[in-house]
Amino acid sequence: MIPTILFLLLRKYKRTNPEAAARLAITLKKASRTILIFVMLVTLTQLVQAQDKKLDYIIKRKNSEVGQLSFSQQSKGNNTILKLHSEVKTRILFLFTAKAQEEAVFENGVLVSSFLYRKMNGREKANKKTRLAGSSYIITKDNQTETMATYPIRFSMLNLFCTEPVSLTKVYSDNFQQFLDIQLLAPHHYKIKFPDGNTNEYFYQNGICARIRINHSLYSATIELKS
């Protein structure tokens, strides 16, 4: 609408001031290019920001806050980087503190590397890595490496925070270094049973994980998205 009005006004102005109108037309043409580039940059920035996510959670046990968990998703070209950091301090028979760091890097939707590191009471509890090598994965645990022929890995435990596993039945666990079943319990409500017998339940709102219910043999807890 606005470009059309400018065109009509310029045509009318050209009848009485042809030279000035010609100079004005050149100026408007240059300005329109600058505006177009600016609009494209703003749009591109908004698209990139829409793909990036930062989620903060509160960890609760017996309705009391015992820790924090932060998750981020960042897109760089064809790569998507997922990161998690958590800290917990609570008492289960005895006082203990736990810290965890996890990261997964996907290229064109395929996992190329990931790691999981946990410390409990200052001591290393887990240090596990998964790395793509050709059409297989090299998994590392306790300084020992194995080859896993399953390829590709497109959905890992970290993905559960930013993507509801609609129509998905399997998820890769960096902790157990194997695929686990995803069980649909109700709309937007899923359950994953781990090899050690413990389970997690995931609840989603608008495609984002809003709450996790942890059912452990020694305790129960929830991870709730901050409002």
Coordinates of all heavy atoms in Angstrom, one line a residue, residues 1 10 23 26-27 53 64-65 70 82-83 97 102 114 118 130 137 140 143-144 150-151 153 180 205 207 218 220 225:
M1 N 0.8 -1.2 0.0 CA 0.0 0.0 0.0 C 0.9 1.3 0.0 O 0.7 2.2 -0.8 CB -0.9 0.0 1.2 CG -1.9 1.2 1.2 SD -3.1 1.1 -0.1 CE -4.0 2.6 0.2
L10 N 5.1 10.4 -6.6 CA 6.3 10.7 -7.4 C 5.9 11.0 -8.8 O 6.5 11.9 -9.4 CB 7.2 9.6 -7.3 CG 8.6 9.7 -8.0 CD1 9.4 10.9 -7.4 CD2 9.4 8.5 -7.9
R23 N 16.0 12.7 -9.2 CA 16.9 12.6 -8.1 C 16.2 11.9 -6.9 O 16.8 11.0 -6.2 CB 17.5 13.9 -7.6 CG 18.4 14.6 -8.7 CD 19.2 15.7 -8.1 NE 18.3 16.8 -7.6 CZ 18.0 17.8 -8.4 NH1 18.4 17.9 -9.7 NH2 17.2 18.7 -7.9
I26 N 15.9 8.1 -7.5 CA 17.2 7.4 -7.2 C 17.4 7.2 -5.7 O 17.7 6.1 -5.2 CB 18.4 8.1 -7.8 CG1 18.3 8.1 -9.3 CG2 19.7 7.5 -7.4 CD1 19.3 9.0 -10.0
T27 N 17.1 8.3 -4.9 CA 17.2 8.2 -3.5 C 16.3 7.1 -2.9 O 16.6 6.3 -2.0 CB 16.9 9.6 -2.8 OG1 17.8 10.5 -3.4 CG2 17.1 9.5 -1.3
K53 N 16.3 -22.1 22.6 CA 15.5 -22.2 23.8 C 16.3 -22.1 25.0 O 17.5 -22.6 25.0 CB 14.6 -23.5 23.8 CG 13.6 -23.5 22.7 CD 12.8 -24.8 22.8 CE 11.6 -24.9 21.8 NZ 12.1 -25.1 20.5
S64 N 9.4 -29.4 48.7 CA 10.5 -28.5 49.1 C 11.5 -28.4 47.9 O 11.9 -29.4 47.3 CB 11.2 -28.9 50.4 OG 10.3 -28.8 51.4
E65 N 12.0 -27.2 47.6 CA 13.0 -27.0 46.6 C 14.3 -27.6 47.0 O 14.8 -27.2 48.1 CB 13.1 -25.6 46.2 CG 14.1 -25.3 45.1 CD 14.2 -23.9 44.6 OE1 13.2 -23.1 44.9 OE2 15.2 -23.5 44.1
S70 N 18.9 -26.3 34.5 CA 18.8 -25.4 33.3 C 19.1 -26.2 32.1 O 20.0 -27.0 32.0 CB 19.8 -24.2 33.5 OG 21.1 -24.7 33.5
L82 N 22.5 -29.1 22.4 CA 21.6 -29.2 23.6 C 22.5 -29.3 24.8 O 23.4 -30.1 24.9 CB 20.7 -30.4 23.5 CG 19.9 -30.6 22.3 CD1 19.0 -31.8 22.3 CD2 19.0 -29.3 22.0
K83 N 22.2 -28.5 25.9 CA 23.0 -28.5 27.1 C 22.1 -28.6 28.3 O 21.0 -28.0 28.3 CB 23.9 -27.3 27.2 CG 25.0 -27.3 26.1 CD 25.9 -26.0 26.3 CE 27.0 -26.0 25.3 NZ 27.9 -24.8 25.5
T97 N 25.1 -34.0 47.9 CA 25.0 -33.0 46.8 C 25.4 -33.7 45.5 O 26.2 -34.6 45.5 CB 26.0 -31.9 47.1 OG1 27.3 -32.4 47.1 CG2 25.7 -31.1 48.4
E102 N 25.4 -32.3 30.9 CA 25.1 -33.1 29.7 C 25.1 -32.2 28.5 O 24.7 -31.0 28.6 CB 23.8 -33.8 29.8 CG 23.7 -34.8 31.0 CD 22.4 -35.5 31.1 OE1 21.9 -35.9 30.0 OE2 21.8 -35.7 32.1
S114 N 28.1 -36.6 22.2 CA 27.4 -36.3 23.4 C 28.2 -36.7 24.6 O 29.1 -37.6 24.5 CB 26.0 -36.9 23.5 OG 26.1 -38.3 23.5
R118 N 28.6 -36.6 35.9 CA 28.0 -36.4 37.2 C 28.9 -36.6 38.3 O 29.8 -37.5 38.3 CB 26.8 -37.4 37.3 CG 25.7 -37.2 36.4 CD 24.6 -38.3 36.5 NE 23.5 -38.1 35.6 CZ 22.6 -39.0 35.4 NH1 22.6 -40.1 36.0 NH2 21.6 -38.7 34.5
T130 N 29.5 -40.4 23.8 CA 29.0 -41.1 22.6 C 29.5 -40.3 21.4 O 29.3 -39.0 21.4 CB 27.5 -41.2 22.6 OG1 27.0 -42.0 23.7 CG2 27.1 -41.9 21.3
Y137 N 28.7 -45.8 16.2 CA 29.0 -44.9 17.3 C 30.0 -45.5 18.2 O 30.0 -46.7 18.5 CB 27.8 -44.5 18.1 CG 26.8 -43.6 17.4 CD1 25.8 -44.1 16.6 CD2 27.0 -42.2 17.5 CE1 24.9 -43.2 15.9 CE2 26.1 -41.3 16.9 CZ 25.1 -41.8 16.1 OH 24.3 -41.0 15.4
T140 N 32.0 -44.5 25.2 CA 33.0 -44.6 26.2 C 32.4 -44.5 27.6 O 31.6 -43.7 27.9 CB 34.0 -43.4 26.1 OG1 34.6 -43.4 24.8 CG2 35.2 -43.5 27.1
N143 N 36.6 -45.2 30.9 CA 37.8 -45.2 30.1 C 37.8 -46.5 29.2 O 38.9 -46.8 28.6 CB 39.0 -45.2 31.0 CG 39.2 -43.9 31.7 OD1 38.8 -42.8 31.1 ND2 39.6 -43.9 32.9
Q144 N 36.7 -47.1 29.0 CA 36.6 -48.3 28.1 C 35.7 -47.9 27.0 O 34.7 -47.3 27.2 CB 36.1 -49.5 28.8 CG 37.0 -50.0 29.9 CD 36.5 -51.3 30.6 OE1 35.4 -51.7 30.4 NE2 37.3 -51.9 31.4
T150 N 24.2 -49.3 15.9 CA 22.9 -48.6 15.7 C 23.1 -47.2 15.1 O 23.8 -46.4 15.7 CB 22.1 -48.5 16.9 OG1 21.9 -49.8 17.5 CG2 20.7 -47.9 16.7
Y151 N 22.6 -46.9 13.9 CA 22.7 -45.6 13.3 C 21.5 -45.3 12.5 O 20.9 -46.2 11.8 CB 23.9 -45.6 12.4 CG 24.1 -44.4 11.6 CD1 24.8 -43.3 12.1 CD2 23.5 -44.3 10.3 CE1 25.0 -42.1 11.3 CE2 23.7 -43.1 9.5 CZ 24.4 -42.0 10.1 OH 24.5 -40.9 9.3
I153 N 21.3 -42.0 15.4 CA 20.6 -41.5 16.6 C 20.0 -40.1 16.3 O 20.8 -39.2 16.1 CB 21.5 -41.5 17.9 CG1 22.0 -42.9 18.2 CG2 20.8 -40.9 19.1 CD1 23.1 -42.9 19.3
L180 N 15.9 -46.7 24.8 CA 14.9 -47.0 25.7 C 13.5 -46.8 25.1 O 13.3 -46.0 24.2 CB 15.0 -46.2 27.0 CG 16.4 -46.3 27.7 CD1 16.4 -45.3 28.9 CD2 16.7 -47.7 28.1
Q205 N 3.5 -29.2 27.7 CA 2.6 -28.2 27.4 C 3.1 -27.4 26.2 O 4.3 -27.0 26.3 CB 2.3 -27.2 28.6 CG 1.6 -27.8 29.7 CD 1.4 -26.9 30.9 OE1 1.8 -25.7 30.8 NE2 0.7 -27.3 31.9
G207 N 4.3 -28.4 23.5 CA 5.5 -29.0 22.9 C 6.7 -29.0 23.8 O 7.8 -29.5 23.4
L218 N 14.7 -45.3 45.9 CA 15.0 -44.7 47.2 C 14.3 -43.4 47.4 O 14.3 -43.0 48.6 CB 16.5 -44.5 47.2 CG 17.4 -45.7 47.2 CD1 18.9 -45.3 47.2 CD2 17.1 -46.7 48.3
S220 N 11.4 -40.1 45.6 CA 10.6 -39.6 44.5 C 10.9 -38.0 44.5 O 11.1 -37.4 45.5 CB 9.1 -39.9 44.7 OG 8.7 -39.3 45.9
L225 N 9.0 -26.8 35.5 CA 9.4 -25.6 34.7 C 9.0 -24.4 35.4 O 7.8 -24.2 35.9 CB 8.7 -25.7 33.3 CG 9.1 -24.6 32.3 CD1 10.5 -24.6 31.9 CD2 8.2 -24.7 31.1

